[in-house]
């Protein structure tokens, strides 16, 4: 019996393996370049989809809702208004909706074979072909690269990326004459406008340019137009731009010697780990053109092997991006990021489906696709729908991760430490182009998808017209980009690099070490020596899962050494309501701004205190959890309670609190423990474990080579964290004598019972 | 065929009806008073439960989790510490946990017949019997009626209400000697202490006294002790209390001529509609003793017909309470109410199960029980579990409702207008005893369970020791109880009744009219003439479902007439971020409190503006929805943006915003429309319908008899709301000439197209 069963298993195993190989091969099959559609949908893919319809739940559902949407739009009729508004205004919203609809209507025509969709696409494209040649540049003048349909070339490019797909879907259905009109009145002039006529937009390394490159590339592939494709891939040969030019956001337009075009936009901003230097919010935005164009190139120009480009960085980047989201799938708002954006966005549906289909069918991606509950209406979406139908999905387990920044992965990075429900995000990256914030060695903390210690994010209400036309607001520069808006050290009330983009862009922090092998002590350490010339900062975060504590706790050790005595401010932007402080503080009877410039003008000083002992404790309640910061204080420290919202004439800022530790020193260590503990339930009204478990925190050693922190808990157990500040080698052996006790360990850190 | 089927249906129908009758009869059967348990669990009930175990999912599940809880506690051992702490402290939390566990352990003994539970209950009760005689009054001195186990008699009474049930469950299992010890060392002295020795606690009409009365009553029923039962039902005959005495909260202890005891506590605070004058938060708290004692009386003293008392008010009150919750089941925080408390609380599990079982098996209650996902481990819980198992549940549809206040229903009330996802709560009630706030004619607004315009609630962190021992904080009096903390008019920066409890307690607002018959125009109107002597206020809220608007909108018309010129402040405590105002305002470079007293000292004045036109518009974004207040302005009005948090030395207040309309006038009308419109999705980044649909709002008529408001929308349609200010009769016919147009209507209001 046993033998027979084994044989059966082997046979089944063989069949399964064979099938898998077959599938993989199919996915990577080079689709014939004969006939349309061939860009995203392919002739073969459409046939496969049609043969499966009705038996692939998530695909069928997406198709049904798409059909309902598009049918409703068709019933309303075509509206191609004369461009007039900023984002948030009617003409902007209408044209945006138009391109999204066109793309979908094209897909419906292919899948459902109902001519009404082709007619709709044609008629709307013809309306654009009639309008476009009459258009001057957009009447809104704010952009460094004004579009024609929209106020900036960026949105015009969005339009073309989507409509190229629609055009591909009805290409063969159109008459040659119709194609001639569309290409010569609309698509070619359109592509020329966003490229040749706007080199300051097209010839850059920036998410804007990526959209521009891809727009031109997509329509080039549909039209089989080699010249445009070459521009898309490698940029304009000449652009007459001067090095040092800047855009609206203060970003460089031209950097001497920098390559341009789509491939350069893959090379430059992506690190080998797939981290995109602008941060996850913009990575999400750029993901769509990167991946949709990669898919198109894969189909039409398979010889380019685009998915293998730079060791498969485009597919890796999807994994990196998902890892840069919290437990609810919301992206960490590093740099300019609007909170709430998540992997439920349409761009991530594209990214996940394409990464699954072309990246080896990672079953963890299926679980994300399942949450998204919709798929692309194309070959990739079909593959995902089939995977889900067949129950192949596995949970996407987000673990601790360290992502390098920079084209070669040597320009700092972002570390995410995860333990139970806690997620700590540590930023020691490069500047992040024009969307970067000046916040070297800053961090944020999450618990179960809720912000505990926040990064403010951007100051903008994307697409809400009432708020400055939906564009960046001036407080983005005066507040969000300033260092004081972040959880990192500020010297003498001046932002890192004095907030100068030219300077910040030249530098990045350096990883000291990262270690997540030991799930009990996960740790990341990085240094910054350029933010303030003459000052070195070394910050280490450890998330420690210690059975003597209810939950993992965070150790935050920031060593600052300088040539001079300075004022150091270290803010913690906690969210929630203060429960208790163990130090004396006085609330102010009238509120004044904390300072005059560099973001300080936006903080109200609510209260100020002085340490009552060598450990200052500060507790708060947020969303049912208690938190405590225990920090080692100097007697002369100021403990400032502040809140955003000063000098905010249009109420663009949220009113949110901060605890700022202010110290005057030359060389010092800020050492703190952040604990999440207990909970409060307003229904049962039970308050559980409402106090910190730390009874004493001490720096027992600190010099340029070593720092040692001693942690005593309420049960009198004493632990020590030992750090080597210079030697990051995992193999180095260290011996350190502290208060007559000799500590020996190997590697850059050690956490142990003091009595061990 | 047809005939046959009909007959079958009739037969089945007959069987169903018969069964139902049978069930109803069983429920109301008078259970024999022979033997224990007979209080909550009954001998017959236990038999029925045992016969169904394993086949009643929600009951089985509750039993399982209860068993796990109690087994874990038994494993930990008994801890009966010497009383020391306030609520939030260890000894408080431990004793509280003890009584909750005792009650459950008793039920487990009966249902599972495992002796270990009886042993546990006995041993813990014996520990208390040993401790109790040694106890002085509790060392914490804050209460007007200090307990022995807890810092106040209130919590001692909680203890006895629960332990009486545990005692009943093991009564027959105990030896007579053991019973003798428990009764003479513990229960009788305990009952005497909270009654005879604390008449200022026991002989009142107050939720505290209800607990006291019920505690004594429950243990009296178990012990069959008539003298104690008489005290419980009708109070102490003599108490030597002086009229006018007050408790810690400023509430009256003795009111001359007032009846006391449990029955008086049903008579007084409940209106005939089942509204409890302290408000839903305290009604929830009091619900448990009211209903558990009613159930016990029903079982042991069926001749009292307690569920029929005062026309069945106890059962009606459950319905009233559920209707005073938002879409998520959270109670509106009228008066002193802690936000977040909901019908998921243990008290409401009791209330819903008892109301279902003894109140005619309303299937809508089953849907609430289903959400609660647990039941009482008794006859009532069994009935609910069976009802759910049999699929009898129907959605609890919360409609608009008007609940009278006062023992006879003639002391004002609370109206809730509901339309689609919007819920407007209008308070025109009596003072609400010592937990009442001074906010006549105030309101709050909810959308889909989220606060839009909030009532602040109480200033207290119940059971969180760090915050004043979990007790009321001083800002409850200086802020939450003051009129400026609410969405109603404040005259000359003085609270209603000058914030004097003696005065406020004598008065109540008066309903003018309420009408929810027409789902298109639901309306409530009430007047207040005592809050400020010499000033009459009439406020009308209408929620109008008009097809020309995306969602229902709210009309808020507040007429104020006075003998003198005054300053009137009308705040709107909106939640969310300001999007846009159509008036000029200036943010202040430094913040000062808005005033010096009566709550004004707790508001920071952030900005001040003046109307730019006769309509001031103010928009904000909250949880993805846009809102706009359009208000008719006088040119001289001040429009003040304020925020809570000034003079708050312990950060006890939340920092939340308000728009305050300030007007100097003698007679005036504040007329505003509040719209919810559109939405913003941070994932799609689409902003939909971000602007108000009101283009012009005008008072076209106003005198003592009539007020007329004209509403023009952006599509130029003009509607008129006509109000009769004196004549509330539904039959009265009105004729009013406004600007040469004659309006005729019947009843106190009319809403129509102007051109009609």
């Amino acid at each position: 019996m046993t033998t027979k069963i084994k044989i059966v298993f082997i046979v089944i195993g063989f069949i399964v393996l064979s099938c898998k190989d077959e599938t993989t091969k199919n996915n990577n099959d080079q689709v014939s370049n004969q006939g349309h559609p061939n860009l995203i949908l392919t002739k073969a893919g459409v046939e496969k989809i049609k043969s499966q319809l009705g038996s692939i739940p998530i695909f069928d559902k997406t198709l049904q809702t798409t059909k309902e949407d598009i049918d409703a739009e068709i019933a309303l009729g075509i509206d191609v208004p004369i461009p007039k508004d900023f984002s948030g205004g009617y003409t902007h919203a209408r044209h945006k909706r138009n391109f999204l609809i066109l793309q979908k209507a094209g897909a419906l025509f292919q899948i459902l074979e109902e001519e009404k969709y082709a007619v709709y696409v044609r008629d709307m494209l013809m309306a654009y072909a009639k309008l476009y040649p009459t258009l001057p540049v957009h009447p809104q003048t704010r952009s460094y690269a004004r579009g024609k349909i929209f106020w900036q070339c960026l949105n015009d490019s969005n339009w073309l990326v989507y409509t190229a797909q629609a055009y591909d879907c009805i290409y063969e259905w159109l008459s040659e004459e119709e194609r001639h009109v569309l290409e010569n009145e609309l698509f070619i002039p359109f592509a020329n406008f966003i490229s040749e006529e706007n080199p300051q937009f097209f010839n850059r390394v920036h998410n804007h340019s990526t959209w521009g490159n891809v727009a031109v590339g997509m329509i080039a592939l549909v039209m089989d137009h080699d010249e445009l494709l070459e521009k898309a891939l490698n940029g304009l040969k000449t652009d007459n731009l001067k090095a040092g030019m800047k855009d609206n956001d203060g970003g460089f337009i031209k950097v001497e010697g920098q390559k341009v075009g789509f491939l350069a936009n893959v090379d430059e901003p992506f690190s080998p780990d797939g981290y995109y230097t602008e941060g996850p919010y913009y990575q999400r935005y750029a993901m769509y053109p990167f991946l949709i164009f990669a898919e198109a190139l894969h189909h039409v120009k398979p010889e380019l092997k685009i998915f293998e480009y730079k060791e498969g960085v485009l597919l890796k980047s999807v994994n990196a991006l998902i890892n840069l989201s919290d437990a609810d799938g919301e992206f960490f708002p590093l740099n300019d990021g609007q909170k709430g954006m998540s992997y439920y966005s349409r761009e991530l549906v594209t990214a996940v489906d394409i990464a699954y289909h072309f990246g080896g069918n990672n079953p963890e991606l299926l679980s994300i696709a399942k949450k998204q509950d919709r798929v692309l209406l194309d070959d990739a979406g079909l593959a995902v729908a089939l995977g889900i139908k067949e129950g192949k999905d596995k949970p996407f387990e987000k673990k601790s991760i360290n992502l390098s920044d920079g084209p070669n992965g040597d320009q700092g990075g972002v570390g995410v430490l995860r333990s139970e429900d806690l997620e700590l995000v540590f930023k020691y990256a490069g500047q992040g182009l024009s969307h970067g914030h000046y916040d070297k060695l800053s961090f944020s903390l999450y618990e179960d998808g809720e912000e505990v210690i926040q990064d403010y994010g951007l100051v903008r209400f994307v697409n809400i017209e009432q708020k400055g036309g939906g564009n960046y607001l001036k407080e983005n520069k005066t507040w969000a980009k300033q260092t004081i808006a972040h959880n990192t050290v500020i010297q003498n009330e001046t932002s890192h690099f004095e907030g100068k983009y030219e300077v910040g862009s030249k530098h990045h922090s350096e990883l000291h070490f990262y270690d997540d092998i030991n799930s009990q002590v996960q740790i990341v350490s990085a240094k910054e020596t350029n933010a303030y010339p003459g000052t070195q900062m070394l910050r280490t975060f450890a998330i420690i899962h210690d059975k003597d504590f209810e939950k993992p706790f965070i150790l935050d050790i920031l060593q600052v050494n300088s040539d001079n005595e300075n004022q150091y401010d270290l803010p913690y932007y906690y969210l929630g309501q203060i429960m208790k402080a163990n130090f004396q503080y006085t609330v102010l009877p009238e509120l004044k701004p904390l300072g005059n410039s560099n973001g300080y003008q936006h903080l109200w000083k609510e209260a100020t205190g002085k340490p009552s002992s060598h450990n200052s404790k500060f507790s708060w309640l947020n969303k049912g959890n208690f938190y405590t910061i225990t920090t080692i204080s100097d007697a002369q420290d100021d403990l400032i309670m502040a809140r955003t919202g000063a000098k905010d004439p249009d109420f663009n800022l949220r009113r949110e609190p901060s605890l700022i530790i202010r110290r005057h020193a030359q060389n010092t260590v800020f050492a703190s423990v952040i604990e999440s503990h207990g909970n409060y339930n307003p229904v049962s009204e039970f308050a559980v474990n409402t106090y910190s478990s730390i009874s004493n925190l001490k720096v027992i050693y600190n010099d340029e080579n070593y720092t040692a922190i001693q942690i005593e808990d309420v049960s009198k157990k004493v632990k020590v964290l030992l750090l080597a500040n210079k030697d990051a080698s995992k193999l180095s052996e260290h011996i350190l004598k502290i208060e007559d006790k000799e500590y020996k360990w190997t590697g850059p850190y050690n956490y142990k019972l003091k009595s061990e």
Side-chain angles (χ1 to χ4, degrees), chain A residues 177-221:
Chain A
E177 193 181 347
E178 285 167 332
R179 288 199 295 265
H180 184 83
V181 171
L182 289 178
E183 295 189 3
N184 289 289
E185 299 293 312
L186 181 60
F187 293 131
I188 294 173
F190 200 113
N192 286 335
F193 178 75
I194 59 174
S195 56
E196 294 291 345
E197 294 179 47
N198 281 283
Q200 81 285 13
F201 163 75
F202 193 80
N203 257 19
R204 295 175 71 188
V205 170
H206 193 281
N207 75 65
H208 287 191
S209 315
T210 302
W211 277 98
N213 303 154
V214 168
V216 171
M218 294 284 277
I219 199 67
L221 289 177

Side-chain angles (χ1 to χ4, degrees), chain A residues 22-307:
Chain A
E22 198 56 31
T23 317
T24 315
K25 232 166 94 192
N26 275 345
N27 288 350
N28 295 329
D29 261 352
Q30 295 171 5
V31 175
S32 156
N33 196 3
Q34 299 301 310
H36 294 265
N38 65 354
L39 196 68
I40 301 305
L41 278 166
T42 59
K43 279 189 177 273
V46 168
E47 286 317 308
K48 202 168 164 192
I49 290 168
K50 286 197 283 198
S51 74
Q52 300 270 1
L53 279 187
S55 69
I56 30 174
I58 197 170
F59 193 102
D60 294 332
K61 184 176 154 187
T62 308
L63 186 65
Q64 182 58 27
T65 47
T66 305
K67 185 173 152 48
E68 283 161 16
D69 275 7
I70 303 308
D71 288 352
E73 281 290 342
I74 291 176
L76 283 175
I78 289 166
D79 184 15
V80 176
I82 292 170
K84 179 168 78 65
D85 300 329
F86 269 135
S87 48
Y90 175 74
T91 70
H92 182 102
R94 184 66 252 173
H95 287 296
K96 181 174 175 181
R97 197 150 170 73
N98 282 353
F99 70 66
L100 293 171
I101 291 165
L102 279 173
Q103 187 269 339
K104 289 177 179 170
L108 290 183
F109 171 63
Q110 284 294 332
I111 295 168
L112 300 175
E113 293 177 285
E114 287 183 44
E115 202 166 33
K116 69 173 178 181
Y117 299 113
V119 170
Y120 181 76
V121 172
R122 179 195 61 199
D123 291 353
M124 196 189 287
L125 287 178
M126 283 296 179
Y128 275 106
K130 197 170 165 191
L131 176 71
Y132 193 78
T134 71
L135 291 179
V137 290
H138 195 277
Q140 302 287 355
T141 59
R142 190 186 304 174
S143 175
Y144 74 103
R146 288 152 74 191
K148 287 191 164 186
I149 308 273
F150 298 93
W151 70 281
Q152 49 178 355
C153 281
L154 171 62
N155 304 95
D156 278 33
S157 301
N158 300 159
W159 187 94
L160 189 55
V161 170
Y162 284 86
T163 52
Q165 298 172 57
Y167 181 47
D168 180 50
C169 283
I170 65 163
Y171 190 94
E172 293 192 346
W173 175 84
L174 290 169
S175 68
E176 198 177 324
E177 193 181 347
E178 285 167 332
R179 288 199 295 265
H180 184 83
V181 171
L182 289 178
E183 295 189 3
N184 289 289
E185 299 293 312
L186 181 60
F187 293 131
I188 294 173
F190 200 113
N192 286 335
F193 178 75
I194 59 174
S195 56
E196 294 291 345
E197 294 179 47
N198 281 283
Q200 81 285 13
F201 163 75
F202 193 80
N203 257 19
R204 295 175 71 188
V205 170
H206 193 281
N207 75 65
H208 287 191
S209 315
T210 302
W211 277 98
N213 303 154
V214 168
V216 171
M218 294 284 277
I219 199 67
L221 289 177
V222 184
M223 301 189 302
D224 200 12
H225 194 304
D226 288 346
E227 190 191 330
L228 284 179
L229 184 61
E230 171 55 24
K231 285 182 195 171
L233 291 172
N234 298 307
L236 305 171
K237 291 275 177 292
T238 55
D239 56 21
N240 294 321
L241 299 171
K242 285 179 195 158
M245 277 178 71
K246 287 188 185 177
D247 67 10
N248 309 73
D249 300 327
F252 287 120
I253 284 175
K254 174 102 172 185
V255 177
E256 207 56 64
Q258 195 177 42
K259 284 190 185 174
V260 290
F262 179 75
L263 296 174
N265 268 297
V266 179
D267 287 330
E268 268 304 297
F270 284 106
S271 79
D273 293 336
Y275 177 74
Y276 185 74
T277 193
E278 295 187 313
Y281 177 75
Y282 276 98
Q283 178 165 0
R284 174 272 327 169
Y285 185 59
M287 237 37 244
Y288 185 80
F290 276 118
L291 289 172
I292 208 77
F293 189 43
E295 183 175 3
L297 285 170
H298 177 85
H299 286 151
V300 187
K301 302 281 178 190
E303 62 276 17
L304 282 178
K305 298 192 172 170
I306 190 67
F307 283 120

